[in-house]
């Protein structure tokens, strides 16, 4: 048996608001929506043709277990070319910055913003080869 196409599902209290964050602010492309017409209950996205995520709105999931959107049991990492510019853009769109951009000793520059449900989203980039972490 072989598994394929794994992706996280983010439960959200406002699917349209969360979709705008992931689609419009971070550049994810919508790949599936259910139902097709009207208010969606589930939307999936991909980023740059690679792996993706899905958003599920309020309600009772098929497994019947309770869901608490924004419980911070989830964190997403998104790579970019310019962390500082990305954070400035997200701040300008009204998203809350949890951690300003900072160089890390393992060779990445990273920052954190919160999605509309308060889930932390790490924005990071590899440092230039000749640049040392501060």
């Amino acid at each position: 048996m072989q598994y394929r196409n794994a992706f996280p599902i983010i439960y959200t209290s406002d699917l349209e608001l969360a979709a705008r964050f992931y689609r419009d602010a971070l550049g994810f492309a919508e790949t599936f929506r259910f139902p097709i017409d009207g208010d969606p209950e589930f939307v999936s996205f991909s980023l740059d043709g690679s792996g993706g995520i899905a958003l599920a709105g309020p309600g009772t999931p098929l497994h019947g277990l309770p869901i608490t959107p924004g419980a911070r049991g989830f964190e997403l990492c998104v790579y970019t070319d310019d962390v500082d510019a990305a954070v400035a853009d997200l701040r300008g769109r009204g998203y809350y910055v949890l951690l300003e951009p900072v160089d890390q000793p393992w060779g990445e520059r990273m920052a954190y913003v919160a999605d509309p449900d308060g889930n932390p989203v790490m924005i990071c980039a590899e440092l230039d080869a000749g640049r040392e972490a501060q």
Side-chain angles (χ1 to χ4, degrees), residues 18-75:
R20 282 195 299 274
F21 173 77
Y22 288 99
R23 182 188 57 233
D24 302 341
L26 295 183
F28 280 78
E30 187 174 310
T31 58
F32 177 80
R33 174 180 286 249
F34 178 82
I36 294 172
D37 296 320
D39 293 334
E41 297 172 18
F42 183 91
V43 181
S44 63
F45 300 89
S46 69
L47 183 62
D48 196 26
S50 63
I53 62 169
L55 301 173
T60 304
L62 294 176
H63 53 65
L65 299 174
I67 298 299
T68 306
R72 290 173 188 72
F74 170 84
E75 181 176 308

